[in-house]
Amino acid sequence: MHATETLPPPLLALAGFSKSFAGFTALDRVDFTLRAGEIHALLGENGAGKSTLIKAMTGVVARDAGTMKLDGVAITPRSAQDALAAGIATVYQEVNLAPNLSVAQNLFLGRQPTRFGLVREGEMRRRARALLSEFGLSIDVAAPLESYSVAIQHIVAIARAVDQSARVLILDEPTASLDAHEVEVLFAVMRQLSARGIGIVFVTHFLDQVYAICDRITVLRNGRLAGSAPVEELPRLDLVRLMLGRELSEATSRRPPVIEGEARADIATFRGVGKAGTIAPFDLSLRAGHVVGLAGLLGSGRTETVRLVFGVDPADCGAAEVGGRAVTIGSPREAMALGFGYCPEERKTEGIVAELTVRENIALALQARRGALSPLSRREQDALAARFIGLLDIRPPDPERPVGLLSGGNQQKVLLARWLATAPRLLILDEPTRGIDVGAHAEIIGLIRDLCREGMALLVVSSELEELVTYADEVVVLRDRAHVARLSGAQIEVSTILATIAQAPACADAA
Amino acid sequence: MNLRALLLASAVSGTLFSVGAQAADMTIGFSQIGSESGWRAAETTVSKAEAKKRNINFKIADAQQKQENQIKAIRSFVAQGVDAIFLAPVVATGWDSVLKEAKEAKIPVVLLDRDIDPAGKDLYLTAVTSDSVHEGKVAGEWLVKTAAGKPCNVVELQGTVGASVATNRKKGFEDGIAGASNVKIVRSQTGDFTRAKGKEVMESFIKAEGGGKNICAVYAHNDDMMVGAIQAMKEAGLKPGTEVLTVSIDAVPDIFKAMAAGEANATVELTPNMAGPAFDAVIAFKEKGTVPPKWIQTESKLYTQADNPMAVYEAKKDLGY
Amino acid sequence: MALRLPRIGTSQIVALGLILVANWIVSPQFFDIRLQDGRLFGSLIDVFNRGAPVALLSIGMVLVIAMRGIDLSVGAVMAICGAIAASLADSHSLPVVLAAALGAGLLCGLWNGLLVAVLGIQPIVATLILMVAGRGIAQLITEGRIVTFTSPDLAFLGGGSVLGLPTPVVLTLGMMALTLLLVRGTALGLMIEATGGNPRASALAGIGTRLITVAVYMWSGLCAALAGIVASADILGADANNAGLWLELDAILAVVIGGTSLFGGRFSILLAVVGAFIIQAMNTGILLSGFPPETNLVVKAVVVLAVLLAQSPRLGGHLAGLGVLFKRSKSGGRRS
């Protein structure tokens, strides 16, 4: 990236922003520059640090280090109100307004025009109409906000922010719940604001939209600045590369040769299964000793696929066959009865039970399968815990410690142990190495290989492509909630996967 | 139901039949509170019987303990053009406007059992209520007479803390024993007007007073608590009714059963017949123009084991208590 | 999320001991126990006898709360089941009476459980429905009056004794033992704690969380039914207006005093029962003390606050800090 002489001076400049939470580094010396009138995309996968950066720049969390200058003046907002007073406004995906109040009341909440302490309702409505007409919106401002579409609610939120003399506007995934037409309306407003010299930070997962409206792109990965460039200098493939991993040169295939000739029993076959509005129908075949990887950007349908396979969100079409028998998988319990196991991505909310001990967490799934009336004796539980603490090197090796007190990597190992204790035929791992330290990465990958060798079928979701290629026998690439490609053998290369993910739908190339 | 027994039980005035004959075709609406207690159910039963005796067309509206329902009922009675309205007010305030409407329609209103805020005095014809201070006093005077000068330690089971009936019955009893230095209250706790709490509190009184040996008499603000207390005494090996005197208020059927068994001594009646005197007052007012006094006090009759308690029990047991 | 190491319940047992000692101070005969008609008789026995209904409720309540639920209907269920027992007592044999009353309790629990687990209604709202309607149902059964009975069989459950111990105390201990056996002798306890601690994770681990939810509310209904039978048997009658009134709040308080979090997870049946007896020890003490009744609620509130504060880990830290400060200022004073 090059600083061109013709660029206007920066409106907002962040330098060396760092933030750690309890030993976990969420932001590591991130720089970010926003110019007046610029629409600047802030991109990154889950956990890349986008939210933390926004929170740190709006004072919602206190930064550990770094400087922040607005128009050349150093500021340190202590709260969202503080940031707003300084001229930095944020509009979140979930509009932060009062849905039961009128549009006008929402626009002027807390700063209503008053006379002798009384709200001047008429004046407020007149000003509300004037304000919204600037955005080409002529609606009944006396109607409650909730009577309007999400897009209009967003525009009201934006209008409120801009009217409070905002000069920097942060839009956090505003388009996530909008349809194509509503996105166009929102974009018109954004262009208008940009023309007025307001700097816009635009967070989104939709790459098409980035190319449609943004001037500049900044990519975060693992809390670090992965790159920043004008949009015309960063083609789609390079962008995906920046978001997902290291340079191509690094990401060479280290995949072990596939052992052919070995008869691999089909564990489970899915034909045409899908769920309306969640994941398009797909085929999937899972075999003993075989690892199928699922690759794609956030929101591409990876987690949706595995939740469907495990019966969390059951399929509404297609057919599944397990061990040669036709089955319907309507709940996790039914999936477990078929010998499936599932380590979810959301370790804290869907995985561990924080206040129970390591021993109890490990015993949970096996116990659930045996039923409440045939309890594992304390001795069996102790043996189970001791075996897996040793096998997976869970630290500290204390079976009676509440699992919430363990590090992320060890929590992940406890989850793995929970499912390994049930001796599953198919184990589903959703982002098994997310948010854990590098040492634990290697151990967990080693474990996946071992399990595979022992004849378990594995279905692994991972954003760590260079890891995925080292153990996957087959990689399914997903885009826009559909399986778009199945790669196997020599095709399993990071570059191929990236190229497949980045292939733009034909119509979006114009942007 | 046996009419003679009913008369005995509810202390109806003797003039009732002569007036009743003239009252045919009169319509009276009654806004009753709802089923809050056995006494309230008995009041409804007795009111109906009293109306029937006088050939009065009597309409009862159950308010389910809500003032807004009572206001609606009164408006509807006014709209129907009844001859008089009886009201057992669920709360003391908030009646002004609806009672004014009745007054403008020239329909007399009689309050039953409870009074309303003083500001409304000219808005109703009369109030038929019992005097709960007087009830307590009757109980106290009975005990002074029965103790006959011997020293007597009394334990008191109060009603719900803060309830005006509890406060008044306590005050009345204290007035009743004021002249007798031999009778004194040694312990007083709330039993919340319930059997279970009455029993629990009595158990602790017995323990605190040397196994009950120091207790000469129990005074309870209602019969239900006394029924519980009698059980507690029996379980502790005491003999209520002989070793320990009992006096309580309300005259519900179960206390007569205990009196018949010799386990209770006396009760003061809160009569469920508030409607009888009210009917008489309305009839006199309508037909002779006699303006009744603002307050018609019902009789607080004392019953003891000498009053054939089993017969009273039989008369009262089907009234809905 | 607060992570707690396994508790041993010292603070609750110390609290109970302190309150009993306080009772002894206000009423010197507090610990006197004698045999009366083959039954132990004394204030200490009263504490356990009178505390039995709330203790029974707390046994069911602690399981519901461990599942992140709450059961506001137990007081009303007591009234319903007590009314059924009293109405049938003089015309049917004891087994029939008990089956009807306990069955009604299970049915009430089933209703609550289905509302919560199947319809997904928030527990506080779901059980509020039966809390309000249940008392009305009880009043319908008794026709608004106190239904009395003379059956000595049913009366025995309230006023009788087994080996000198009042029957309600024996029933409470029996119910506690049975519940402990069911919950800790099987894997149900673990599943309840897991579901309360993290419902989504537990469902994904294959635990039948709905079934357990329904079962737990039914158990709470059963405990409430037994409490209602005991309460009716005690006064030889069913008082639909007052039986179990507000006892749901005492049961919740007992569970909280017993150290189970309202956010679910780890629970202790034994300490919930201790909590119920703490509450009753306080009530009995107030009755024995001879304080004017107007002070009852204030005294109760102060003692509950003290017990809960003693359990608060955060306050413990502050107190330790204060202690250090206090020592410092004292030593500072000495020096000057």
Side-chain angles (χ1 to χ4, degrees):
Chain A
M1 46 183 187
H2 327 274
T4 321
E5 295 302 317
T6 55
L7 282 175
L11 174 63
L12 179 71
L14 313 182
F17 258 52
S18 296
K19 177 72 195 176
S20 306
F21 297 103
F24 170 72
T25 306
L27 281 183
D28 188 6
R29 287 160 293 163
V30 171
D31 301 336
F32 181 80
T33 306
L34 178 71
R35 290 168 205 282
E38 183 179 70
I39 300 180
H40 193 140
L42 180 60
L43 306 179
E45 288 282 274
N46 253 358
K50 291 169 302 188
S51 311
T52 313
L53 182 63
I54 290 173
K55 283 180 187 159
M57 80 170 92
T58 54
V60 177
V61 300
R63 60 184 186 256
D64 295 342
T67 60
M68 176 169 180
K69 282 184 181 167
L70 186 65
D71 263 342
V73 182
I75 58 166
T76 302
R78 300 282 172 211
S79 67
Q81 281 77 14
D82 230 13
L84 192 59
I88 303 174
T90 314
V91 174
Y92 292 96
Q93 180 184 349
E94 303 294 331
V95 178
N96 236 344
L97 295 175
N100 51 342
L101 296 187
S102 75
V103 170
Q105 282 166 332
N106 269 296
L107 282 171
F108 295 100
L109 196 62
R111 52 193 191 102
Q112 302 92 334
T114 56
R115 180 184 287 154
F116 313 124
L118 299 173
V119 175
R120 299 168 63 195
E121 200 71 36
E123 168 72 5
M124 190 164 84
R125 286 186 193 161
R126 196 188 55 72
R127 277 160 60 174
R129 273 191 294 273
L131 180 58
L132 290 179
S133 71
E134 289 175 33
F135 296 101
L137 213 57
S138 91
I139 57 172
D140 176 10
V141 295
L145 184 68
E146 63 194 348
S147 60
Y148 292 106
S149 70
V150 181
I152 288 182
Q153 294 186 22
H154 267 289
I155 292 171
V156 170
I158 290 169
R160 176 183 161 87
V162 172
D163 193 48
Q164 287 172 282
S165 59
R167 308 185 39 230
V168 173
L169 181 63
I170 301 168
L171 302 177
D172 190 359
E173 293 203 47
T175 55
S177 47
L178 304 189
D179 66 29
H181 172 70
E182 291 173 328
V183 169
E184 272 315 309
V185 174
L186 183 68
F187 280 4
V189 169
M190 285 167 68
R191 287 197 188 97
Q192 198 185 343
L193 293 172
S194 142
R196 280 201 228 166
I198 291 172
I200 299 176
V201 180
F202 182 47
V203 180
T204 184
H205 287 301
F206 299 100
L207 299 192
D208 297 347
Q209 294 177 0
V210 171
Y211 287 99
I213 192 162
C214 293
D215 305 309
R216 194 176 179 85
I217 299 172
T218 291
V219 179
L220 299 183
R221 195 176 64 240
N222 296 333
R224 298 218 178 102
L225 180 66
S228 181
V231 69
E232 57 276 8
E233 291 174 21
L234 195 64
R236 202 175 268 266
L237 183 60
D238 294 342
L239 173 59
V240 171
R241 235 179 247 152
L242 271 182
M243 287 171 71
L244 285 188
R246 282 124 238 180
E247 290 305 310
L248 263 182
S249 55
E250 272 184 61
T252 49
S253 167
R254 285 183 296 271
R255 204 170 51 81
V258 179
I259 310 150
E260 291 293 350
E262 214 176 301
R264 284 184 169 165
D266 270 0
I267 299 280
T269 326
F270 296 86
R271 264 191 295 277
V273 292
K275 184 173 167 66
T278 306
I279 180 84
F282 60 87
D283 295 345
L284 192 62
S285 178
L286 301 160
R287 282 173 290 163
H290 201 82
V291 182
V292 175
L294 297 177
L297 292 179
L298 187 77
S300 61
R302 300 170 310 182
T303 298
E304 288 78 359
T305 300
V306 296
R307 285 172 71 92
L308 186 147
V309 169
F310 197 62
V312 185
D313 301 315
D316 55 14
C317 61
E321 219 173 73
V322 174
R325 274 187 315 120
V327 293
T328 50
I329 303 169
S331 71
R333 283 171 69 77
E334 291 174 32
M336 280 175 70
L338 298 170
F340 294 5
Y342 170 45
C343 292
E345 178 184 5
E346 300 291 336
R347 201 167 48 229
K348 284 197 161 42
T349 58
E350 299 190 334
I352 60 164
V353 183
E355 65 180 313
L356 295 193
T357 63
V358 170
R359 165 178 58 82
E360 289 167 319
N361 268 284
I362 291 177
L364 207 55
L366 181 59
Q367 183 63 68
R369 203 171 68 185
R370 287 170 56 135
L373 297 184
S374 50
L376 289 160
S377 70
R378 181 60 190 259
R379 193 180 304 161
E380 288 170 291
Q381 292 186 26
D382 285 340
L384 210 58
R387 189 168 118 228
F388 284 103
I389 287 172
L391 191 67
L392 305 184
D393 193 25
I394 294 169
R395 285 167 191 278
D398 173 7
E400 298 309 312
R401 200 173 174 80
V403 84
L405 298 177
L406 270 55
S407 72
N410 283 296
Q411 290 179 357
Q412 187 67 43
K413 288 182 189 171
V414 168
L415 272 185
L416 273 169
R418 174 189 294 171
W419 289 107
L420 294 180
T422 68
R425 287 192 286 172
L426 164 66
L427 186 55
I428 303 164
L429 305 175
D430 195 352
E431 296 286 4
T433 55
R434 158 80 33 87
I436 64 182
D437 58 68
V438 178
H441 268 233
E443 287 180 64
I444 285 173
I445 290 165
L447 195 79
I448 290 173
R449 286 185 169 146
D450 291 345
L451 293 174
C452 176
R453 207 170 297 135
E454 285 165 22
M456 198 178 285
L458 282 129
L459 179 60
V460 183
V461 174
S462 183
S463 301
E464 308 283 345
L465 297 185
E466 60 280 8
E467 287 178 9
L468 192 62
V469 297
T470 64
Y471 53 73
D473 298 297
E474 186 180 331
V475 172
V476 176
V477 178
L478 293 94
R479 196 192 316 122
D480 292 335
R481 310 203 155 173
H483 292 213
V484 294
R486 181 171 297 125
L487 311 176
S488 59
Q491 291 173 302
I492 304 182
E493 295 277 352
V494 172
S495 56
T496 323
I497 298 174
L498 286 179
T500 316
I501 293 173
Q503 266 169 20
C507 59
D509 276 345
Chain B
M1 185 191 317
N2 172 327
L3 194 63
R4 213 173 56 87
L6 178 73
L7 283 175
L8 177 75
S10 45
V12 177
S13 76
T15 57
L16 185 154
F17 290 107
S18 56
V19 185
Q22 306 162 358
D25 302 331
M26 192 179 269
T27 298
I28 293 180
F30 178 23
S31 172
Q32 175 63 295
I33 290 179
S35 59
E36 56 166 16
S37 64
W39 182 86
R40 189 66 59 190
E43 184 193 33
T44 306
T45 315
V46 173
S47 302
K48 283 182 197 157
E50 294 288 322
K52 203 170 174 193
K53 260 190 260 173
R54 293 171 176 81
N55 272 335
I56 289 170
N57 181 14
F58 194 51
K59 297 178 173 175
I60 300 182
D62 183 327
Q64 293 167 336
Q65 282 146 51
K66 289 204 180 87
Q67 184 177 27
E68 71 237 41
N69 290 346
Q70 293 202 297
I71 291 174
K72 269 187 226 152
I74 294 170
R75 292 221 164 102
S76 133
F77 289 143
V78 170
Q80 293 166 33
V82 296
D83 297 294
I85 295 170
F86 289 0
L87 167 66
V90 66
V91 291
T93 54
W95 300 104
D96 289 20
S97 68
V98 71
L99 291 188
K100 266 183 201 136
E101 289 169 30
K103 195 178 167 78
E104 278 156 19
K106 299 209 168 14
I107 299 174
V109 173
V110 178
L111 303 182
L112 295 193
D113 173 47
R114 297 182 185 184
D115 213 335
I116 61 170
D117 199 279
K121 288 285 184 203
D122 63 331
L123 293 174
Y124 57 85
L125 181 68
T126 180
V128 182
T129 68
S130 170
D131 179 353
S132 43
V133 176
H134 181 65
E135 291 162 356
K137 199 168 174 208
V138 171
E141 284 166 351
W142 172 83
L143 187 60
V144 170
K145 205 173 89 207
T146 311
K150 288 195 286 287
C152 187
N153 288 341
V154 182
V155 296
E156 181 185 31
L157 296 168
Q158 298 184 27
T160 309
V161 175
S164 63
V165 181
T167 317
N168 292 343
R169 287 180 178 176
K170 182 171 174 57
K171 182 178 179 301
F173 186 80
E174 283 164 358
D175 292 350
I177 62 171
S181 57
N182 57 319
V183 179
K184 61 174 193 289
I185 298 173
V186 291
R187 281 188 178 263
S188 181
Q189 249 296 349
T190 175
D192 282 337
F193 285 129
T194 71
R195 282 188 194 205
K197 284 287 282 178
K199 185 175 180 188
E200 179 180 354
V201 172
M202 192 63 207
E203 279 177 354
S204 71
F205 282 170
I206 291 169
K207 267 97 188 180
E209 294 296 330
K213 287 188 283 293
N214 305 334
I215 302 173
C216 148
V218 185
Y219 166 52
H221 288 187
N222 76 349
D223 290 337
D224 275 336
M225 288 192 288
M226 185 58 87
V227 171
I230 289 170
Q231 277 181 35
M233 287 187 268
K234 282 160 71 182
E235 284 175 16
L238 297 171
K239 291 197 173 56
T242 48
E243 282 177 11
V244 182
L245 298 173
T246 82
V247 58
S248 47
I249 300 175
D250 274 0
V252 304
D254 281 349
I255 199 74
F256 289 98
K257 222 155 89 179
M259 281 180 3
E263 291 168 349
N265 298 96
T267 185
V268 179
E269 184 177 52
L270 168 63
T271 178
N273 183 16
M274 302 273 170
F279 285 131
D280 295 343
V282 167
I283 291 165
F285 176 70
K286 284 269 174 186
E287 296 182 352
K288 296 185 196 137
T290 319
V291 178
K294 271 290 161 194
W295 179 32
I296 300 174
Q297 184 187 348
T298 57
E299 190 188 357
S300 299
K301 187 171 186 238
L302 180 79
Y303 287 91
T304 64
Q305 293 177 355
D307 293 302
N308 190 3
M310 214 50 216
V312 184
Y313 172 74
E314 289 299 329
K316 282 198 168 224
K317 73 177 186 307
D318 292 323
L319 292 181
Y321 275 108
Chain C
M1 183 179 308
L3 293 171
R4 290 169 292 149
L5 293 167
R7 296 167 167 276
I8 46 170
T10 344
S11 64
Q12 288 85 356
I13 289 164
V14 167
L16 181 58
L18 284 178
I19 292 171
L20 293 179
V21 168
N23 287 356
W24 175 67
I25 291 168
V26 298
S27 167
Q29 74 288 353
F30 183 77
F31 287 109
D32 296 355
I33 291 178
R34 65 188 163 89
L35 211 58
Q36 165 81 41
D37 302 332
R39 179 186 166 203
L40 292 173
F41 184 86
S43 294
L44 186 62
I45 301 298
D46 284 353
V47 169
F48 293 104
N49 193 22
R50 292 286 146 225
V54 172
L56 281 168
L57 294 183
S58 71
I59 293 170
M61 187 70 78
V62 70
L63 299 182
V64 173
I65 287 179
M67 290 283 285
R68 285 196 187 182
I70 198 138
D71 189 350
L72 295 183
S73 72
V74 289
V77 174
M78 269 181 80
I80 294 176
C81 300
I84 290 174
S87 316
L88 300 179
D90 286 339
S91 52
H92 294 78
S93 68
L94 188 64
V96 176
V97 172
L98 290 184
L102 295 176
L106 285 172
L107 213 59
C108 290
L110 179 67
W111 163 264
N112 284 332
L114 291 179
L115 288 186
V116 172
V118 178
L119 298 186
I121 299 175
Q122 284 180 358
I124 197 166
V125 179
T127 57
L128 190 65
I129 296 169
L130 191 57
M131 175 184 176
V132 177
R135 201 157 287 285
I137 295 169
Q139 284 164 345
L140 284 179
I141 295 170
T142 61
E143 294 168 338
R145 52 180 134 178
I146 297 180
V147 173
T148 55
F149 63 86
T150 52
S151 157
D153 293 344
L154 184 57
F156 175 80
L157 298 184
S161 66
V162 178
L163 301 173
L165 282 176
T167 328
V169 179
V170 176
L171 288 174
T172 305
L173 294 178
M175 193 65 193
M176 187 172 81
L178 178 65
T179 311
L180 278 171
L181 187 73
L182 269 176
V183 166
R184 298 299 184 191
T186 70
L188 269 174
L190 175 66
M191 292 184 174
I192 289 170
E193 288 181 334
T195 308
N198 190 341
R200 284 166 75 187
S202 303
L204 284 178
I207 294 175
T209 51
R210 280 187 182 184
L211 191 67
I212 296 180
T213 304
V214 174
V216 157
Y217 279 96
M218 286 178 75
W219 199 254
S220 178
L222 185 74
C223 290
L226 194 56
I229 293 169
V230 166
S232 272
D234 180 45
I235 60 165
L236 306 178
D239 182 354
N241 292 328
N242 297 303
L245 193 64
W246 307 125
L247 288 197
E248 56 279 343
L249 298 183
D250 275 4
I252 293 167
L253 185 62
V255 169
V256 172
I257 290 177
T260 299
S261 161
L262 286 178
F263 297 110
R266 290 278 191 218
F267 65 90
S268 166
I269 295 172
L270 187 69
L271 291 183
V273 170
V274 170
F277 290 134
I278 286 177
I279 296 172
Q280 186 56 42
M282 212 154 58
N283 288 342
T284 304
I286 290 169
L287 293 180
L288 288 170
S289 67
F291 292 149
E294 291 79 3
T295 62
N296 290 4
L297 298 178
V298 176
V299 171
K300 199 170 159 181
V302 168
V303 176
V304 169
L305 185 67
V307 173
L308 293 180
L309 285 181
Q311 283 182 37
S312 156
R314 197 176 290 175
L315 184 84
H318 287 315
L319 280 184
L322 269 182
V324 170
L325 267 181
F326 183 63
K327 268 182 211 153
R328 266 193 213 140
S329 69
K330 252 186 17 189
S331 58
R334 222 177 290 137
R335 243 179 282 136
S336 62

